Amino acid sequence: MRIDTYDSVSASPQAFEAAIDFMARIDAGGRFLYISAPGLSFIGYHREYLRIITLFDLVPPDEAAILRACLELVGHTGQPQKCSLHLIKTLTYPRLVELRIAPDPRHPDEFAIVGHDISTWADNEQCLTYAMHHDVLTGLDNLASARREIERAKQEANATRTRIALLLVDIDEFHRVNQAFGYEVGDRILHETAQRLKNTFGGNEFVARCYSDAFLVLLRNVPGRDYVEDAGRRISDAILLPYSHQGQTVQLSVRMGAVLYPDPANHAEQLLHHADQALVDARKRGDAFAFYQYQSLAERLDTLRLESDLHSGIRNGELSLHYQPIVDTVTLETIGVEALMRWNHPVLGAVPPATFIPLAESAGLINFLGDWALKNACMQLIQWDKQGIHLGYASVNVSAQQFRDRRFPAAVRDAFKLTGIAPTRIVLEITESVLMEDPVHAKMLLEDLTAVGVRFAVDDFGTGYSSLAYLQSFPLSTLKIDRRFVNSLTVSRNDQAIVAAVAGLARTLELELVAEGVETEEQRRMLGTNGCNLIQGWLVSKALPIAELTHKFESGELRVRNR
């Protein structure tokens, strides 16, 4: 074996060799026949040592096949080839090099090799690649990375016949944090939020930051909607925990839009877009969580037409209030009524509130309608008083948009000033999700209006994400059990347990308890046994127009409790 001592592999000047990290000539077995002086310095071995080893010995075992394949290709084609692999240097970690290998025309079965150290370039490329796919502030994957992960998850779901779900998580009113404390504090809170989301799933689910104060969570192997809703509750609970800045508590809440894939009923393909649509729907309805619901072009056009009709309907007086009695569970004496809005369309007839209330919210009409409903309910109580029908109170529903409007407290006071009704005879109904959207704001608003005499009820209790720790801090008067727990009360042990638990909670917090949707005597009996003191539903009366309900009072069909 020989290792030549001349200074170059050909007649190239020494300056050319000095500019190259590694230059050598080897035989087909990888034995060194020549190595340049800069090459020896680069790999750090003595020339004598290279007499007893081969180039394959300087390559990690798992990369030897790359070198062998490259040599075989050069020998087969007679054309230069290149490959990237690591060379094991003395006293250092392996260095990534790019080897250019060519046949030596003067010596058959020998190869000329030129190598360049590309470790620094590779490290920089890795850093750039990481930066391209990760959020600098939180360290989470960014939107570009999320898009690829979503597509990969969709392919896996199709191949394994499993389901995935995408949740888009948006922090409510986060700009107020930046305004109050500055962007540096806002960034720290966003970083902590990212950590809370990762800890919620223990690294088992993909979490990314989309933009500003929005994050996404990708769930794999999803058995159904309940699983996704449970994930939403865990996310909400994690972010509802107070943040702290210089001894001051910062409270956040979130809204979430979710989409399942595959979901043939909803034609869900563009998951990010559809999750965003679901998030918009959640905001419109004032909910904390919403699933994507498919709407065809024809349905969207129908929605636009109905929205236009709603504007006309308000001008033409097509909307009215119906009232449903709230009665004592035992005596069935009426102690109050709930005001419920109805729309009688001139062509379509009765339009369900579940249809036109979201329309009013999206069209920016809900504040007007809410104010109108409150004032009319106040005036109706006064009218019934004049007719000798003395009801304890009227409850009026308050939408999330109304509750968020800074003019809402003034609008409530204006209704009392205009009508002269005692504020204690009005109960404002709000949902759990409205309370928990911004607990600090909610507490201040409730305390403000409670001081005037207004009472507050939590509607659809048991269906939201409220924390009992927060619930007891709000000045509330009433809990209303959602009708879904009442529907199966006589046959479902779970619903019986829920009703009993809510009744116990109401007693502990000294709150009235109203059960909605009561339709049978058996339901009434079981509710009374469990300590629910008030009910409303078709067992007593459906919501009726003013004239019909007045007749029932005057005829004695419905009895009013004497005050």
Side-chain angles (χ1 to χ4, degrees):
M1 176 183 176
R2 72 181 192 281
I3 297 184
D4 296 337
T5 56
Y6 50 84
D7 292 329
S8 69
V9 75
S10 63
S12 302
Q14 289 183 344
F16 176 72
E17 282 195 9
I20 298 173
D21 295 319
F22 182 81
M23 180 179 288
R25 194 171 72 247
I26 62 174
D27 64 15
R31 291 184 293 272
F32 287 97
L33 306 176
Y34 163 78
I35 186 167
S36 64
L40 280 174
S41 177
F42 175 71
I43 61 175
Y45 295 106
H46 292 292
R47 193 179 294 274
E48 291 74 16
Y49 179 66
L50 296 182
R51 297 179 184 276
I52 60 175
I53 65 171
T54 70
L55 180 58
F56 289 99
D57 295 316
L58 301 183
V59 175
D62 58 339
E63 295 183 4
I66 299 174
L67 176 60
R68 184 170 290 106
C70 191
L71 289 172
E72 289 176 355
L73 189 60
V74 173
H76 179 70
T77 64
Q79 299 297 318
Q81 304 293 332
K82 65 180 179 180
C83 60
S84 296
L85 41 74
H86 290 83
L87 283 185
I88 302 173
K89 299 175 59 176
T90 59
L91 305 178
T92 65
Y93 291 104
R95 302 290 291 180
L96 184 65
V97 297
E98 181 183 83
L99 297 182
R100 295 177 180 269
I101 304 175
D104 190 332
R106 297 175 303 166
H107 304 281
D109 296 326
E110 295 182 5
F111 304 91
I113 298 177
V114 173
H116 299 278
D117 186 352
I118 59 172
S119 296
T120 302
W121 174 85
D123 290 343
N124 290 338
E125 182 184 40
Q126 187 174 5
C127 290
L128 287 172
T129 301
Y130 181 88
M132 285 174 60
H133 301 108
H134 289 79
D135 175 58
V136 176
L137 175 63
T138 64
L140 296 177
D141 285 76
N142 61 17
L143 186 57
S145 177
R147 290 183 189 278
R148 284 195 304 277
E149 188 68 19
I150 291 168
E151 290 305 313
R152 183 159 48 244
K154 286 171 64 177
Q155 293 173 8
E156 291 173 2
N158 290 333
T160 59
R161 296 188 177 182
T162 57
R163 302 174 84 183
I164 62 173
L166 183 67
L167 288 87
L168 198 57
V169 183
D170 183 64
I171 302 176
D172 287 320
E173 303 289 325
F174 189 77
H175 66 275
R176 295 190 300 115
V177 175
N178 290 329
Q179 291 171 353
F181 301 107
Y183 287 96
E184 184 177 345
V185 174
D187 287 349
R188 287 205 298 270
I189 289 176
L190 286 174
H191 184 272
E192 183 177 342
T193 299
Q195 296 307 306
R196 291 187 185 189
L197 288 173
K198 289 175 64 177
N199 293 339
T200 297
F201 298 101
N204 295 324
E205 305 291 358
F206 180 84
V207 180
R209 184 187 182 198
C210 300
Y211 51 83
S212 185
D213 55 1
F215 300 82
L216 66 81
V217 178
L218 180 63
L219 307 175
R220 286 178 163 86
N221 298 315
V222 173
R225 289 196 170 204
D226 289 347
Y227 181 88
V228 183
E229 289 177 343
D230 179 65
R233 290 188 185 94
R234 291 162 61 194
I235 291 170
S236 181
D237 289 345
I239 296 178
L240 278 172
L241 293 173
Y243 295 75
S244 180
H245 170 63
Q246 296 181 350
Q248 183 169 351
T249 297
V250 179
Q251 195 71 50
L252 300 179
S253 61
V254 295
R255 293 188 191 278
M256 285 168 277
V259 60
L260 284 168
Y261 177 88
D263 188 4
N266 281 323
H267 307 283
E269 291 288 342
Q270 299 174 312
L271 300 192
L272 268 173
H273 176 62
H274 292 153
D276 187 60
Q277 284 185 296
L279 179 60
V280 171
D281 288 342
R283 287 197 193 100
K284 286 181 179 178
R285 297 199 300 262
D287 293 336
F289 183 97
F291 276 105
Y292 166 72
Q293 293 293 331
Y294 173 76
Q295 193 177 38
S296 68
L297 177 59
E299 289 172 326
R300 291 196 294 270
L301 291 175
D302 286 344
T303 299
L304 288 174
R305 282 193 289 267
L306 199 58
E307 187 177 300
S308 177
D309 289 348
L310 181 58
H311 283 270
S312 301
I314 292 173
R315 291 193 299 269
N316 298 333
E318 296 169 9
L319 281 87
S320 63
L321 290 181
H322 288 196
Y323 293 87
Q324 185 172 41
I326 301 171
V327 305
D328 185 285
T329 306
V330 178
T331 66
L332 295 184
E333 293 174 323
T334 303
I335 58 100
V337 290
E338 180 179 358
L340 296 164
M341 196 173 298
R342 297 292 186 261
W343 179 18
N344 187 28
H345 192 283
V347 176
L348 302 175
V351 180
T355 298
F356 74 79
I357 294 298
L359 279 181
E361 292 176 336
S362 63
L365 298 171
I366 197 65
N367 286 344
F368 170 80
L369 289 177
D371 291 347
W372 173 83
L374 176 59
K375 290 171 183 174
N376 273 268
C378 292
M379 290 188 288
Q380 187 56 49
L381 284 179
I382 293 173
Q383 180 62 34
W384 274 326
D385 286 345
K386 292 177 180 178
Q387 295 174 263
I389 303 168
H390 301 290
L391 296 170
Y393 65 88
S395 64
V396 181
N397 290 281
V398 177
S399 75
Q401 286 189 22
Q402 280 181 274
F403 198 78
R404 287 195 296 267
D405 193 321
R406 58 184 178 81
R407 297 165 296 181
F408 175 64
V412 174
R413 288 184 169 87
D414 287 345
F416 300 146
K417 184 177 180 181
L418 175 68
T419 62
I421 195 76
T424 53
R425 296 184 67 189
I426 292 297
V427 175
L428 299 178
E429 294 193 14
I430 51 181
T431 63
E432 287 182 83
S433 57
V434 168
L435 276 179
M436 301 314 299
E437 178 181 323
D438 187 344
V440 175
H441 167 72
K443 189 172 186 293
M444 291 175 59
L445 192 153
L446 265 62
E447 289 174 344
D448 179 24
L449 290 177
T450 300
V452 177
V454 180
R455 291 180 289 165
F456 284 89
V458 178
D459 197 14
D460 301 335
F461 185 74
T463 63
Y465 301 133
S466 66
S467 162
L468 296 183
Y470 285 112
L471 189 64
Q472 66 181 350
S473 71
F474 295 124
L476 302 170
S477 69
T478 306
L479 297 182
K480 301 191 75 173
I481 303 175
D482 186 73
R483 66 182 63 246
R484 74 185 67 179
F485 301 121
V486 176
N487 288 344
S488 304
L489 182 63
T490 59
V491 295
S492 170
R493 294 177 65 87
N494 287 340
D495 287 347
Q496 291 168 15
I498 290 172
V499 169
V502 174
L505 176 66
R507 283 194 299 272
T508 301
L509 299 180
E510 298 182 345
L511 303 175
E512 284 190 337
L513 186 62
V514 181
E516 300 178 295
V518 180
E519 298 180 355
T520 69
E521 280 290 345
E522 181 67 11
Q523 290 172 342
R524 177 172 80 96
R525 184 189 64 77
M526 294 186 70
L527 287 165
T529 301
N530 280 287
C532 179
N533 53 332
L534 298 172
I535 62 172
Q536 66 182 102
W538 281 41
L539 175 65
V540 178
S541 173
K542 66 179 181 179
L544 295 172
I546 295 168
E548 290 185 36
L549 188 58
T550 301
H551 176 72
K552 283 182 177 287
F553 287 137
E554 292 176 335
S555 67
E557 186 177 345
L558 287 173
R559 292 179 293 121
V560 179
R561 175 178 290 177
N562 294 324
R563 290 188 295 173

